[in-house]
Amino acid sequence: MGEEQANGEAMAGRATWSRSAERSGTFGLTWEGWAVPEFVLTHTQEWLDHFALQGYRASPLAAGVEGAIYDLGSDLIAKVWRARRQGELELMQHFYADVAKAGLPFMTPEILTVEQIDGVSVTYERKLPGKPLQHRLAFDDREVEPVAARCVIDVLQALSSAPATEAMRRLQVLDEKQPLWTGADTFQDALTNLLSRRVARFGDVIRTRLGDFDRRYESLRRRLQALARCPDTVIHGDLVPENILVDERARPVAVLDFGFLTTAGDPRLDAAIAASVLNMYGPYAPAITEALTAQAAQDLGYPVDVLLIYQATYAVATANAFTCDGSDGHFAWCINQLRRSDIGDALSM
């Protein structure tokens, strides 16, 4: 991999720091001008020394709320995980192998080895090429340039061709302690059960910001259960622009950072999420979401109302993904999604 590609991957990680900081408000320290969790600062030299003893010329590559990534050279990276257990990562290793078998037109991560070092999980993975699609976008964009929108649609279409596997159904999502599909025979049942658990934990917090939440939530449950079913495929669940790596013509060459909401299920959920998170916080975000939702409906053949129902589902499920008390930017964004008039119409409010 050339220097430009390596730098592209590094910037993917740095963009993730910025997005995570904006969502969660948990970052206050900096490294080379970027917000970094304390976990990275207190462990960086220790891990650089460790990898040097293994014969690698390691350098810090990226960091996020789950840990730190190091460039080991020779198209190899190491991820030091803050809390992931070895069993979880071995399951993710199987999951990535299943995705690779689907023959997608872009690269996806591959975990080569999972190790435990002094009680900390470390994975060794191949480095992915390209630069984040985020480089083609700006916070104050009035609209998404066609080539960027086309890139997102192409990724969604490709992922929808990867059939669901048992490893996908065994994955946990968010901070859940059990697989999403536990006790469910259908994806709609799995999602409804997830919403029930999230509302039981965080419903009171959501109600303080959304007075008619219970009415919206009950309508959402009914509409979700009534959706026409389609074949289950892989769902990435977090197709923000930082997680799509592209070439100089904005064609997707790699997709990374599976895990936040990755599972098996209805590919229309992935399209709904991607349309709403391409520009989350910019001044023209609502218009961009509306336009990309319409394009996904047209190009992929997904009914608009289904996408809107899934956007509401995402907002309820992830509202408290970063803080329990709703003090972060992502929570506020989710509340605003649930207040959208088009989502209200889809829920028959």
Side-chain angles (χ1 to χ4, degrees):
M1 177 178 297
E3 181 179 358
E4 183 178 20
Q5 292 173 311
N7 288 339
E9 178 111 49
M11 288 304 296
R14 291 184 180 185
T16 300
W17 299 348
S18 178
R19 177 172 61 88
S20 298
E22 187 169 16
R23 282 182 170 183
S24 67
T26 57
F27 296 122
L29 303 172
T30 61
W31 177 69
E32 292 187 0
W34 295 88
V36 185
E38 184 179 356
F39 167 78
V40 178
L41 291 180
T42 57
H43 285 72
T44 294
Q45 192 58 51
E46 174 185 344
W47 287 106
L48 288 173
D49 293 343
H50 169 79
F51 295 127
L53 289 174
Q54 307 303 312
Y56 298 111
R57 298 184 62 182
S59 59
L61 181 60
V65 294
E66 287 204 290
I69 307 175
Y70 299 89
D71 188 343
L72 304 182
S74 302
D75 290 339
L76 187 66
I77 64 172
K79 293 184 180 179
V80 178
W81 298 87
R82 184 171 60 177
R84 293 266 187 170
R85 300 186 299 270
Q86 183 169 353
E88 293 179 81
L89 295 169
E90 288 174 346
L91 175 58
M92 186 63 73
Q93 183 178 30
H94 291 302
F95 159 77
Y96 281 140
D98 287 348
V99 173
K101 292 175 185 175
L104 298 176
F106 44 75
M107 297 176 68
T108 51
E110 178 185 357
I111 295 178
L112 305 175
T113 307
V114 181
E115 292 184 353
Q116 282 285 307
I117 301 172
D118 295 331
V120 177
S121 297
V122 179
T123 56
Y124 295 84
E125 307 180 21
R126 64 176 177 176
K127 188 187 295 183
L128 298 176
K131 292 185 176 181
L133 180 62
Q134 183 62 50
H135 288 187
R136 308 273 313 206
L137 310 172
F139 176 79
D140 57 354
D141 281 343
R142 289 180 176 270
E143 58 186 19
V144 177
E145 59 176 317
V147 67
R150 182 74 259 159
C151 174
V152 174
I153 297 297
D154 287 347
V155 169
L156 289 166
Q157 189 165 38
L159 290 173
S160 71
S161 71
T165 67
E166 181 60 26
M168 296 173 192
R169 292 189 174 91
R170 289 171 55 204
L171 293 173
Q172 300 170 6
V173 300
L174 304 174
D175 61 348
E176 296 272 299
K177 304 304 181 185
Q178 63 187 37
L180 175 66
W181 279 77
T182 298
D185 295 323
T186 69
F187 181 59
Q188 277 72 21
D189 287 342
L191 270 189
T192 302
N193 292 342
L194 173 66
L195 294 184
S196 296
R197 293 191 297 271
R198 304 302 285 185
V199 171
R201 292 175 61 188
F202 306 114
D204 287 345
V205 178
I206 298 175
R207 292 181 189 100
T208 64
R209 294 287 301 278
L210 195 63
D212 64 346
F213 170 68
D214 288 328
R215 188 162 62 96
R216 292 175 183 269
Y217 173 55
E218 287 306 317
S219 180
L220 174 59
R221 285 174 58 93
R222 290 194 301 271
R223 294 302 303 272
L224 187 59
Q225 282 291 319
L227 289 182
R229 294 170 185 167
C230 62
D232 294 328
T233 68
V234 67
I235 294 176
H236 183 287
D238 195 28
L239 279 175
V240 293
E242 297 94 331
N243 292 339
I244 300 174
L245 305 184
V246 300
D247 63 15
E248 65 282 354
R249 296 172 61 184
R251 296 174 300 190
V253 294
V255 171
L256 70 162
D257 213 11
F258 291 77
F260 178 68
L261 205 63
T262 300
T263 186
D266 187 343
R268 296 175 297 187
L269 174 63
D270 237 356
I273 296 171
S276 61
V277 302
L278 189 71
N279 182 319
M280 295 182 70
Y281 303 109
Y284 305 101
I288 290 173
T289 293
E290 181 179 2
L292 196 55
T293 299
Q295 184 169 349
Q298 176 180 319
D299 294 356
L300 301 174
Y302 299 157
V304 171
D305 65 327
V306 172
L307 298 178
L308 294 174
I309 290 165
Y310 275 141
Q311 286 172 358
T313 299
Y314 177 77
V316 174
T318 69
N320 294 89
F322 298 98
T323 60
C324 293
D325 64 359
S327 59
D328 61 285
H330 182 79
F331 177 85
W333 178 86
C334 288
I335 296 300
N336 287 335
Q337 299 308 293
L338 294 172
R339 288 177 174 152
R340 283 166 43 193
S341 60
D342 55 350
I343 284 181
D345 291 342
L347 297 178
S348 301
M349 299 297 295

